[in-house]
Amino acid sequence: MDLSVVIPTLNGRDQLAAGLDALVAHVPDAEVIVVNGPSTDGTTGMVRERDDVDVLVEVSTRTENVARNAGLEVATGDVVAILRYDLVVESSWLAGLEDGLAEASVVTGPTHRTLDGGMTTEQSEHRRVGSRDVAYFNGGNVAFRRPVLDALDGFDEYLETGGDRDAAHRLAALDYEVAWRPNMCVSQEYSADGGVTTGDRGTEFRALAYRLVKNYGVRPAVATGTTSRAFRDAVAAGREVLRGDLPPTEWLASGRAVVTGAVRGAVDGFVARVEDRSQARNPHGVSDRSDRAVARYDWR
């Protein structure tokens, strides 16, 4: 197995350095590709000073799927893994990956997150959507055989969030299975996340509506799924308003962002479905453009 590891990063120099150290220790023979950008914390200099990175690709966009595709363009392995910059592979990671590939063409595993009171982890996630059994994967810890990535044409660059969820739906349409291996694990130190902003809610529901309409068409079940999720979120936020934890104006603004985002996503999803009628359903994939990289340093 020739393994390439693609690591998209943005302003995560110290976390990235720890992840690269772990790869050297546990996966020393892998081809390592860092896709950076546009970082302002000295990531470029740090990577260029190391001798364990094979390719550094600089991109000008902050969209994760663009960075993923930029890495896929230069990866040469017959198996390509994608890791988040702030995750560290554990000692059993490579064995779990190899074991999973014996069963399926895509393999994923959990993230262990260290908390003040202990550690959390994840379980495999499946969902029945229409006639498809969709196996979701950990977007920060996943490996694909090369023919699968070619069939998917990489990730959909329209999506600012949820690109891995979209790819899971498309994998199911193409009848590719996803293997879950608990020992293909990565770890992450705890860091508190900020609250969700109004703009984030609009982006989230635009992505949700887009990928459902793009992958399944305009169906009542698609509208019901989006509406029910929006309703559940609105009820939960309403309880926060009643408790005094959320200003009513912020609740209303979030509701407007959700509706606007969902409508825009549904329209754009329909257009994307028309543009790519194949099972790949990816009019914004790797083959769509060739100008992602603004600079490339190749030490292979």
Side-chain angles (χ1 to χ4, degrees), residues 1-20:
M1 176 183 70
D2 292 326
L3 174 64
S4 297
V5 179
V6 174
I7 310 174
T9 187
L10 177 64
N11 291 328
R13 181 185 61 185
D14 294 339
Q15 298 98 318
L16 173 63
L20 292 173

Side-chain angles (χ1 to χ4, degrees), residues 81-157:
I82 298 177
L83 293 175
R84 274 177 55 103
Y85 70 91
D86 56 349
L87 300 178
V88 175
V89 298
E90 298 188 4
S91 58
S92 61
W93 183 84
L94 181 59
L97 184 156
E98 292 174 333
D99 182 59
L101 289 176
E103 174 188 319
S105 295
V106 183
V107 59
T108 188
T111 299
H112 297 157
R113 292 182 172 87
T114 303
L115 306 174
D116 292 339
M119 178 179 289
T120 65
T121 189
E122 302 152 337
Q123 302 296 323
S124 60
E125 182 184 358
H126 291 255
R127 184 171 299 171
R128 191 76 179 176
V129 183
S131 61
R132 302 179 196 175
D133 181 18
V134 181
Y136 295 109
F137 58 84
N138 181 347
N141 180 29
V142 62
F144 304 83
R145 291 196 183 276
R146 171 64 68 174
V148 179
L149 292 170
D150 292 340
L152 288 173
D153 197 20
F155 293 84
D156 190 330
E157 295 180 10

Side-chain angles (χ1 to χ4, degrees), residues 136-206:
Y136 295 109
F137 58 84
N138 181 347
N141 180 29
V142 62
F144 304 83
R145 291 196 183 276
R146 171 64 68 174
V148 179
L149 292 170
D150 292 340
L152 288 173
D153 197 20
F155 293 84
D156 190 330
E157 295 180 10
Y158 170 91
L159 290 164
E160 298 178 38
T161 184
D164 48 349
R165 310 287 281 192
D166 173 68
H169 290 287
R170 297 188 290 119
L171 285 171
L174 292 164
D175 293 324
Y176 285 112
E177 295 185 1
V178 178
W180 172 269
R181 288 296 181 270
N183 58 334
M184 184 183 161
C185 48
V186 294
S187 59
Q188 180 185 50
E189 294 299 315
Y190 170 77
S191 62
D193 292 326
V196 177
T197 66
T198 300
D200 291 333
R201 301 299 288 165
T203 298
E204 177 185 347
F205 275 86
R206 176 162 62 92

Side-chain angles (χ1 to χ4, degrees), residues 129 132 156 159 165-171 173 207-219 222 269-270 272-273 278-282:
V129 183
R132 302 179 196 175
D156 190 330
L159 290 164
R165 310 287 281 192
D166 173 68
H169 290 287
R170 297 188 290 119
L171 285 171
L208 173 64
Y210 172 83
R211 64 178 182 259
L212 288 177
V213 172
K214 183 189 70 164
N215 287 296
Y216 300 97
V218 182
R219 300 181 182 181
V222 170
F270 178 77
R273 186 173 178 85
S278 72
Q279 292 284 49
R281 296 292 182 195
N282 192 7

Side-chain angles (χ1 to χ4, degrees), residues 23-34:
L23 281 173
V24 171
H26 303 308
V27 199
D29 297 327
E31 175 185 69
V32 178
I33 299 161
V34 173

